[in-house]
Amino acid sequence: MFKYNSGFDSEFQTEALPNALPPFGNNPQVCPYNLYAEQLSGTAFTVPRKENRRTWMYRTQPSVLHNPFEEVEGGSLSHGPFTRSNGYQISPNQLRWNPLPLPSCSETFVSGLTTIAGEGDPKCKSGLAVHMYTCNRSMINEAMYNSDGDYLIVPETGTLIVQTELGYLEVPPKFICVIPRGIVFKVNVEGGCRGYVLEVFKGHFDLPDLGPIGSNGLANARDFEYPIAAYDEVENVEGKTKEEKYNWKLINKFGGLMFSTERCGTPFNVVAWHGNYSPYRYNLEKFCCINSVTFDHPDPSIYTVLTCKGDDVGTATADFVIFPERWMVMENTFRPPWYHRNCMSEFMGMIWGKYDAKEGFQAGGASLHSCMTPHGPDYKTFKGASECELKPHKFDKGLAFMFETNVILNISKKALAAEHRDVNYFKCWEGIPNAFQGKKGKEGGDGGEEGENKKRKIGP
């Protein structure tokens, strides 16, 4: 439907009209077509060049043409502080939600955002938040930008047509898109849509280092697609009143609060741009999966698509991980994910199909296993994987993903009390037997270490 440039974190130049970009330099005295030069900085001016992100836009009118912002109600979108007094609490329990119901009334992408959990403070540019969205109405004469961080959007139901200042992105299920801090966007939909959003308050998403994997594999840089310049036709406002001229609603998420204003004409008026700070999309089916070909189930970090690096080397503020179709050929190995306790927190979602570690995890649902909370396969999965014939097997029954973070997430009390929360999730592990067989096997008795200690009079 749309054309794209490709190459992760590349320097692009694109123009919707011929010769709309200055032939050299960034802000000439007079720009081609009498456009206005405007820079958008995604990093501080003086960060190292290899990390510096900025884009020069050439617009029919600059972004300053808007009325003063006023604070508005954020609905189910909340960004802290993530405290008990503000409707959040921590929980060490295993948590799971069934799919968030599709909207029964008219909702846009912005009004349909619901915060599930978060930690940190966007005003200090630290931490992250996890949201879900449901929507069924396009944003008409309405746009948004996020001053607090980057959005990583994961559709589960319905295709999003994301119009941004820098061009269009079509984002169906099995794709993701990233909208960096400050980029103005609107979302058009047809019918009911549902999905997940990871918001990071500090830094930007990068490709993970490959280490001994080498120079290729996982998400390849060439498969990330960036928009080409496109702009709305500028409306003639001569003879109109100020109220008629300021006919667009602009929403700004700023410091954890929502603000709104009216602006003069469309914000999608960028005729040309160049730079390396831009929204992008990625097709998850192009992920080059790495797996064991001898024995053992590797750590899930081998499925990392994007990472937002933290302050400590090797520890992420957030990782985006998928569990794609893949061959399972490991010998003498329990092939599903093993039982686990993790210093990180794991929020999981299901894009389609079923998860290979347990039953009841539905597409459009979610789960949260926080720091050091035990989790793993249910007994039916464990028993089946322990007894099955270990022949080469292709898992092609679903696509799950994980937002993994080094922080303990505060959970919205609304999410904990939601009707679609599976309050019996913990019961999926009930019935796991103690199948331990000591030295005397099934006969029981004083077999094993306890029996040996009794014989030797060791211990109480």
Side-chain angles (χ1 to χ4, degrees), residues 411-426:
I411 307 147
S412 163
K413 292 181 181 179
K414 291 182 180 179
L416 289 172
E419 291 184 1
H420 62 286
R421 182 185 157 201
D422 182 359
V423 296
N424 294 315
Y425 175 40
F426 70 97

Side-chain angles (χ1 to χ4, degrees), residues 24-344:
F24 66 94
N26 298 315
N27 57 319
Q29 185 178 24
V30 178
C31 293
Y33 297 96
N34 286 323
L35 297 170
Y36 294 86
E38 179 177 296
Q39 182 175 204
L40 177 63
S41 296
T43 55
F45 295 139
T46 53
V47 301
R49 174 172 282 202
K50 65 179 181 180
E51 300 171 10
N52 205 302
R53 298 186 182 182
R54 55 84 185 95
T55 285
W56 279 94
M57 307 177 187
Y58 302 91
R59 341 179 54 114
T60 61
Q61 287 182 306
S63 298
V64 295
L65 284 168
H66 63 76
N67 290 328
F69 281 100
E70 295 182 359
E71 185 179 343
V72 295
E73 174 62 38
S76 296
L77 185 68
S78 177
H79 292 278
F82 299 101
T83 60
R84 186 175 292 270
S85 62
N86 203 37
Y88 289 85
Q89 66 184 65
I90 59 173
S91 173
N93 293 319
Q94 301 98 346
L95 300 172
R96 186 165 73 181
W97 292 266
N98 294 320
L100 186 65
L102 292 172
S104 57
C105 57
S106 179
E107 297 281 6
T108 66
F109 175 85
V110 175
S111 67
L113 281 167
T114 298
T115 303
I116 306 298
E119 170 57 17
D121 187 347
K123 295 188 295 295
C124 297
K125 296 186 177 179
S126 67
L128 74 160
V130 175
H131 320 282
M132 293 192 69
Y133 70 85
T134 57
C135 59
N136 56 9
R137 178 169 63 89
S138 297
M139 297 169 67
I140 306 299
N141 276 39
E142 177 181 292
M144 176 189 182
Y145 68 99
N146 184 358
S147 299
D148 290 341
D150 292 11
Y151 277 153
L152 188 157
I153 302 173
V154 186
E156 178 268 330
T157 296
T159 296
L160 306 181
I161 304 298
V162 183
Q163 182 180 8
T164 78
E165 295 177 276
L166 305 184
Y168 287 89
L169 297 171
E170 182 180 13
V171 194
K174 300 184 184 180
F175 279 68
I176 61 167
C177 76
V178 171
I179 303 176
R181 183 194 306 264
I183 297 284
V184 177
F185 71 96
K186 67 188 288 282
V187 177
N188 295 329
V189 300
E190 290 186 6
C193 296
R194 177 173 55 210
Y196 312 82
V197 179
L198 172 61
E199 179 183 12
V200 292
F201 302 144
K202 180 179 181 179
H204 301 288
F205 289 101
D206 286 307
L207 294 177
D209 293 329
L210 294 180
I213 292 175
S215 56
N216 304 289
L218 306 187
N220 290 313
R222 65 172 299 203
D223 294 325
F224 288 81
E225 297 178 310
Y226 291 73
I228 62 173
Y231 68 99
D232 290 345
E233 292 294 334
V234 180
E235 182 181 0
N236 185 0
V237 295
E238 289 186 11
K240 292 188 175 182
T241 66
K242 182 177 180 180
E243 288 74 17
E244 291 172 328
K245 292 178 182 178
Y246 284 72
N247 58 353
W248 270 78
K249 179 181 180 180
L250 183 61
I251 301 165
N252 178 9
K253 196 181 86 60
F254 182 85
L257 301 174
M258 300 294 279
F259 293 82
S260 179
T261 188
E262 301 79 35
R263 63 158 283 124
C264 182
T266 175
F268 305 109
N269 60 9
V270 177
V271 180
W273 61 270
H274 72 84
N276 62 354
Y277 191 60
S278 168
Y280 54 89
R281 72 171 193 167
Y282 175 72
N283 182 350
L284 298 176
E285 293 185 314
K286 293 185 177 181
F287 185 79
C288 180
C289 187
I290 305 295
N291 208 349
S292 171
V293 294
T294 52
F295 60 91
D296 278 355
H297 186 298
D299 293 337
S301 51
I302 61 168
Y303 305 131
T304 301
V305 180
L306 291 168
T307 183
C308 183
K309 296 176 182 178
D311 294 331
D312 297 328
V313 176
T315 302
T317 296
D319 283 331
F320 173 63
V321 179
I322 63 172
F323 303 94
E325 296 183 16
R326 60 199 181 275
W327 278 96
M328 313 283 252
V329 299
M330 301 85 84
E331 297 178 317
N332 191 28
T333 295
F334 181 78
R335 290 178 176 175
W338 13 254
Y339 294 106
H340 191 206
R341 290 185 298 156
N342 192 356
C343 65
M344 309 285 275

